[in-house]
Amino acid sequence: MARLERATTARATLAPPSDDSQPTEPIAPAAPPLTLPDDIHATIRRLESELQEARLRVLSMIPPTPPGNITLPSTTPILVVNGDDPFHPDFLQAKINARPSVIPEDQWFKMLQATKPTGVDKYKGKNLQELMLFEKQCISAFRSAPLQCFGDYNKVLFAEKQLDKEASAQWHRYADAHPADRHVWTSFLAFLRDSVMAPRNRELQIHKEYTEARQKSSETVREFDLRLAGLEAHLPPKTDVELVQEFLSRLKPDIATILNDQATVFLTRMDVVAHAQRIEENHKARRGLAHEPTTHNSNNDNPQSSRSRDKRSLRTPRRG
C-alpha cells in the first residue's frame, strides 16, 4: 500500500503544471495556399493524361509472358464500348477482348500490332467537304488500327502525315506557335476547320447540309450513318431519342417503312442501324435471287442445243 502511494506521488510530481501561467511558444501563421495560373493547371492535366496514355500504350505493347494473358492495367476497366468509337477510353481494350476464339491470344496481339492505318487521301485544305471526308477517313483508319492509333499523340502523328505540302506547312507553323496543341486531336481538327472556313460560316454550312441529308440510293446504311454522325459531331449534342428520330426520318423509304411497321421501340441509334442493316441485307438477298439465271438439267429443253447436236451428227468424218 505504501509503495502504491509513493508511485502515485512520484507521477504527480513529474506531471507538468496545469496552470495557464506557463509561457507557450508562439505559433507561426499558416502559409497562404499556392495559386497557380489556369494555363499551368491545364498543362498539368494534359501532361498527366499523356503520361497515362503512354503508360497504357507501353504496357499494351508488351507481349504476354507466358502467352495467354493480354491485359491493360487494372485502372482501365474492361467495358463494352458503345459502338466503334476510336476515341472511347476503352476502345483498345475492347478490341483486344474481341479476339476470335479460333485465334491464339499471342497471335491476335501480333495481328493488332501489324495492322497499319490506311485509306486516307491527301488533304489539301480546299473546302469544308474535303475536310469532312478527311475526318471520316481518319476515324475509319483509327478504328481499323486501334493499337497503332492509340491516344491523341498517335492519331495526330498519323493524320498530319496525310496533309498536303501547303496544309502541312500551315499546321506546323501553328503547332510551333502553340506547342500545347501539337498532339491534341481536337486542337488539330479545330485548326483545319478554321483554315477552310470562318467558324460562323462553317456552322451555317454544316447546319444546311445536315438539314438536307438523306440516305442516297447508292449509299449503304452504314455509310449513311457515318456521314450523318460526321455532321452531328459539329452540331449541339442531341439526346438518344432525337438521334433515333433523325436517323429514321432520313432513311430510304423502303427501309424506313419496314422499320415503322415493326412498331419497335429503339432506345439508341445503334439499335436502328442494326435493324436497318438486316433489312438492307434481306433486300440484297431478294434481288440476288431475282437475277439468278435459270438452269436446266436436260439439253432437250434447249432448242439451240438440239440444233447444235443435229449439226454435229450430220458432219462427215475426216479421213486419215
Side-chain angles (χ1 to χ4, degrees):
M1 187 66 179
R3 184 180 301 172
L4 180 60
E5 290 177 355
R6 286 196 299 272
T8 304
T9 304
R11 283 199 298 269
T13 305
L14 294 175
S18 59
D19 59 288
D20 298 334
S21 60
Q22 181 178 359
T24 58
E25 296 181 1
I27 300 176
L34 180 61
T35 303
L36 297 176
D38 293 339
D39 58 340
I40 299 297
H41 282 293
T43 302
I44 292 175
R45 288 193 297 269
R46 179 179 60 81
L47 292 176
E48 290 177 346
S49 176
E50 291 181 358
L51 180 62
Q52 176 67 3
E53 287 184 355
R55 177 171 173 263
L56 296 179
R57 184 167 62 251
V58 170
L59 289 176
S60 65
M61 291 180 179
I62 300 175
T65 307
N69 294 318
I70 301 177
T71 58
L72 291 178
S74 58
T75 54
T76 303
I78 298 176
L79 300 176
V80 177
V81 178
N82 186 19
D84 276 344
D85 180 9
F87 298 96
H88 194 286
D90 301 303
F91 178 72
L92 175 59
Q93 180 68 67
K95 288 297 182 183
I96 292 176
N97 294 341
R99 175 183 61 86
S101 58
V102 296
I103 301 178
E105 291 189 356
D106 54 344
Q107 183 180 348
W108 176 247
F109 189 78
K110 290 178 180 178
M111 291 170 61
L112 290 178
Q113 282 184 311
T115 304
K116 306 292 183 182
T118 57
V120 180
D121 300 329
K122 278 291 182 181
Y123 175 73
K124 300 179 181 179
K126 295 183 296 185
N127 50 48
L128 183 61
Q129 286 73 23
E130 185 195 17
L131 174 59
M132 296 182 69
L133 176 62
F134 177 71
E135 290 184 36
K136 184 171 73 172
Q137 290 177 341
C138 284
I139 292 175
S140 298
F142 300 158
R143 187 180 293 118
S144 63
L147 194 57
Q148 298 292 335
C149 298
F150 179 73
D152 273 21
Y153 179 90
N154 288 318
K155 287 180 173 64
V156 175
L157 189 65
F158 166 76
E160 68 181 8
K161 293 179 181 178
Q162 316 310 314
L163 301 179
D164 199 20
K165 184 176 180 180
E166 181 58 30
S168 177
Q170 292 177 1
W171 160 247
H172 282 94
R173 282 196 297 269
Y174 172 85
D176 291 340
H178 304 81
D181 294 339
R182 178 178 292 277
H183 298 126
V184 181
W185 175 252
T186 53
S187 301
F188 175 75
L189 276 188
F191 169 80
L192 295 183
R193 292 168 186 168
D194 292 342
S195 299
V196 296
M197 187 176 291
R200 179 56 182 165
N201 294 338
R202 185 175 67 245
E203 291 176 6
L204 294 174
Q205 178 68 20
I206 292 176
H207 187 271
K208 177 178 181 294
E209 291 187 13
Y210 183 73
T211 304
E212 299 174 352
R214 298 292 184 275
Q215 185 184 7
K216 301 175 183 178
S217 58
S218 60
E219 195 174 30
T220 66
V221 171
R222 180 59 177 164
E223 290 170 345
F224 176 60
D225 177 42
L226 290 174
R227 181 164 66 92
L228 199 63
L231 293 169
E232 290 168 341
H234 302 273
L235 299 173
K238 298 179 180 295
T239 64
D240 285 336
V241 175
E242 292 173 333
L243 291 174
V244 168
Q245 293 300 324
E246 291 287 357
F247 191 74
L248 276 173
S249 64
R250 300 162 187 269
L251 286 170
K252 288 188 287 190
D254 57 339
I255 297 178
T257 301
I258 297 177
L259 287 174
N260 291 325
D261 290 344
Q262 290 178 351
T264 305
V265 178
F266 300 108
L267 300 180
T268 65
R269 170 90 136 254
M270 289 178 57
D271 296 337
V272 188
V273 173
H275 281 73
Q277 284 179 310
R278 283 196 288 270
I279 296 173
E280 184 179 58
E281 291 299 324
N282 291 337
H283 286 177
K284 289 180 180 179
R286 293 195 191 100
R287 286 195 296 267
L289 290 175
H291 292 85
E292 185 176 341
T294 305
T295 58
H296 300 280
N297 294 329
S298 174
N299 288 331
N300 295 331
D301 298 331
N302 190 338
Q304 183 67 31
S305 299
S306 300
R307 286 194 295 271
S308 300
R309 189 172 58 252
D310 294 340
K311 288 181 181 179
R312 287 195 301 269
S313 64
L314 294 175
R315 289 176 184 169
T316 304
R318 295 177 62 183
R319 297 180 179 179

